[in-house]
Amino acid sequence: THTDGHVSNITGVDWHPLNRNLVITSSLDGSVRLWDLDKNKTKFRKLCSAKDKVYRIKSSMGKRTKVTCVVFAPGGREFACGTICGSVQVWSTAKVGSRPERVVYDAHLSGSRGMAIHSLTYNFDGKKLASRCMDDGCVKVWDARRLSRTAQPLSICKGLHGLYESVNCAFSPDGRILCAGTCIEPRNITTEYGILKFYRVDNSTAKTKPSEPIFELDVAQGLSIVNVTWHNKLNQIIVSLSDGSIRVFYDMKWSSNGAKLPVAKGLRKTDDLTLLLNSRAPQGSAGVLGEIRTPHALPLFR
């Protein structure tokens, strides 16, 4: 709280869903900061963090812990952050307190040790919160309104191997389907595909048995899926791959605009007669009719 900004690596950034001048950041220094582009002061043309907008994140033992990700809830009244000790904490943006509004410690466990949370994702109405851990290769869906020390996940989606700390997941526009991508080992790039898996998470009761994917899509051979975004209005899925490319998946019936615009006209249709005439057309200078004149050869341009 005595510094003008973070003093360690920044692990997450998210814009406020309603206020275009408000942004939130998380860092390995154990803090989450709210930045106002209009009201915050600047020093040497650099934005300074307000002392009353610094959240100090602590573990279950009351000690400072590193924050690995942060995301605004729909509406912007609260935000959720994940820690390196495996806790998912929900804080209010109206005030800066010493304790979170709701918290679940050890959301992802390996024996008795909590594992780091690498990404958090809200559904469209903020009632569900999905946390993904790269170490255990699974995504857990929580009831965002009932997080507590004894809370149990609504769904557990396994089989999601990850190699990148920025791997995430995405909800469908109605919040009933969750999709996430898999990563492949470098030694298997010639045989395996990066797979986009879809899970049904519309159950309202806690489940102890992991959910099985209802659909799997082979995206690219030898490439890992890093980030997934499911656009609410366009109803299209944007996937980023490990080679830096982006692929967009859409449906002609259920999607609108977006990727459908450049493919609406389709390929130009050609018949056999047109192909025959083009093949017999003269090439080079023989195909030019009339005289050829260069502009600078005319008296006007000399």
Side-chain angles (χ1 to χ4, degrees):
T1 57
H2 298 285
T3 60
D4 294 331
H6 291 293
V7 295
S8 186
N9 295 351
I10 295 176
T11 56
V13 181
D14 193 24
W15 288 98
H16 194 280
L18 302 178
N19 189 349
R20 64 171 63 185
N21 295 318
L22 199 61
V23 67
I24 194 170
T25 57
S26 62
S27 173
L28 295 181
D29 59 8
S31 67
V32 173
R33 296 174 184 257
L34 280 173
W35 305 79
D36 196 324
L37 304 184
D38 285 341
K39 298 181 181 180
N40 284 23
K41 298 180 180 179
T42 58
K43 291 183 180 179
F44 301 102
R45 297 183 180 181
K46 292 185 178 180
L47 196 65
C48 299
S49 175
K51 295 183 178 180
D52 59 341
K53 294 297 182 181
V54 180
Y55 298 81
R56 290 172 289 184
I57 311 301
K58 299 181 180 179
S59 63
S60 59
M61 304 299 293
K63 299 181 180 180
R64 185 177 62 179
T65 182
K66 298 178 181 180
V67 188
T68 54
C69 57
V70 67
V71 62
F72 266 115
R77 295 184 178 181
E78 59 186 20
F79 67 87
C81 62
T83 64
I84 199 172
C85 62
S87 65
V88 177
Q89 305 183 17
V90 178
W91 294 73
S92 174
T93 57
K95 60 179 180 179
V96 179
S98 58
R99 296 181 180 180
E101 299 289 329
R102 300 178 299 279
V103 60
V104 51
Y105 294 106
D106 299 331
H108 292 256
L109 280 174
S110 176
S112 59
R113 180 182 62 89
M115 293 182 291
I117 308 297
H118 291 95
S119 68
L120 292 173
T121 306
Y122 276 99
N123 69 332
F124 73 102
D125 57 2
K127 295 181 180 180
K128 295 178 183 178
L129 178 63
S131 61
R132 180 169 182 177
C133 178
M134 184 183 65
D135 299 325
D136 62 356
C138 75
V139 174
K140 294 185 178 181
V141 181
W142 308 84
D143 188 345
R145 302 166 297 177
R146 298 180 180 179
L147 289 180
S148 64
R149 293 176 178 264
T150 59
Q152 296 295 325
L154 301 177
S155 299
I156 301 177
C157 308
K158 288 192 174 183
L160 299 171
H161 178 63
L163 294 176
Y164 301 89
E165 294 184 352
S166 58
V167 291
N168 68 340
C169 56
F171 282 99
S172 61
D174 58 1
R176 297 180 178 181
I177 304 296
L178 182 138
C179 68
T182 62
C183 299
I184 59 178
E185 296 289 346
R187 62 177 180 271
N188 300 328
I189 58 176
T190 58
T191 58
E192 294 186 3
Y193 282 78
I195 303 175
L196 190 63
K197 296 185 178 182
F198 296 82
Y199 299 84
R200 188 176 300 277
V201 294
D202 57 351
N203 297 329
S204 59
T205 57
K207 297 180 62 177
T208 58
K209 184 178 180 181
S211 302
E212 295 295 333
I214 60 175
F215 182 73
E216 295 184 0
L217 178 64
D218 293 339
V219 177
Q221 184 178 5
L223 298 178
S224 300
I225 298 176
V226 183
N227 276 156
V228 179
T229 301
W230 198 327
H231 200 282
N232 290 333
K233 294 183 179 180
L234 302 182
N235 198 12
Q236 298 175 12
I237 301 175
I238 300 96
V239 178
S240 64
L241 303 178
S242 55
D243 65 341
S245 62
I246 295 177
R247 300 194 179 187
V248 182
F249 297 92
Y250 65 95
D251 185 87
M252 293 301 298
K253 179 179 180 182
W254 301 106
S255 301
S256 61
N257 297 331
K260 292 178 61 178
L261 297 179
V263 298
K265 297 182 179 179
L267 298 177
R268 181 177 296 178
K269 297 181 180 180
T270 56
D271 53 3
D272 296 338
L273 180 59
T274 304
L275 295 175
L276 179 62
L277 294 178
N278 292 337
S279 63
R280 295 184 177 182
Q283 304 295 328
S285 59
V288 180
L289 301 178
E291 299 179 359
I292 301 177
R293 297 189 180 186
T294 57
H296 295 283
L298 300 177
L300 178 64
F301 297 101
R302 289 178 182 175

